[in-house]
Amino acid sequence: MSELEQWEVSLAAHILRELDDVLTEQRALYRDLHQHPEPSMQEHQTAERIEAELGKLDVEVQRIGGTGVGARGGHRGRPPGRGPAGIGGFAGWGP
């Protein structure tokens, strides 16, 4: 196996480990949310948890209407639509 092929295999293994870690975290979040259900329009703990999880990422997070959580990804301080994800903002949520 060439040096390039070894590097590619190593990189692929690293990516798969990272994906496995993300999947483990996502499953834990899913289980936690479903073990602590809240009545509709009263999801305060759920909103706090989602806000905290999104706060770990490169996104702008904003509470909407008390229990809603909005996020714009990948462009803190840049105009909507110009971030890596190309995601625009919510109506009335300007830059």
Side-chain angles (χ1 to χ4, degrees), residues 37-47 63-68:
E38 297 177 275
S40 180
M41 303 303 291
Q42 297 176 35
E43 303 96 336
H44 298 284
Q45 291 179 357
T46 299
R63 279 293 183 97
I64 301 171
T67 59

Side-chain angles (χ1 to χ4, degrees), residues 1-44:
M1 185 181 302
S2 73
E3 188 175 324
L4 177 59
E5 289 171 325
Q6 289 175 356
W7 178 83
E8 289 172 337
V9 169
S10 176
L11 178 61
H14 174 75
I15 290 170
L16 290 174
R17 282 191 305 274
E18 291 289 324
L19 288 173
D20 189 52
D21 291 346
V22 169
L23 182 57
T24 299
E25 291 174 15
Q26 293 297 309
R27 284 182 176 151
L29 174 61
Y30 175 87
R31 286 185 187 114
D32 182 58
L33 293 176
H34 285 84
Q35 287 175 352
H36 305 98
E38 297 177 275
S40 180
M41 303 303 291
Q42 297 176 35
E43 303 96 336
H44 298 284

Side-chain angles (χ1 to χ4, degrees), residues 40-60:
S40 180
M41 303 303 291
Q42 297 176 35
E43 303 96 336
H44 298 284
Q45 291 179 357
T46 299
E48 288 176 15
R49 178 71 190 271
I50 296 300
E51 190 174 22
E53 292 297 321
L54 289 171
K56 297 175 185 177
L57 307 173
D58 183 24
V59 297
E60 293 179 48

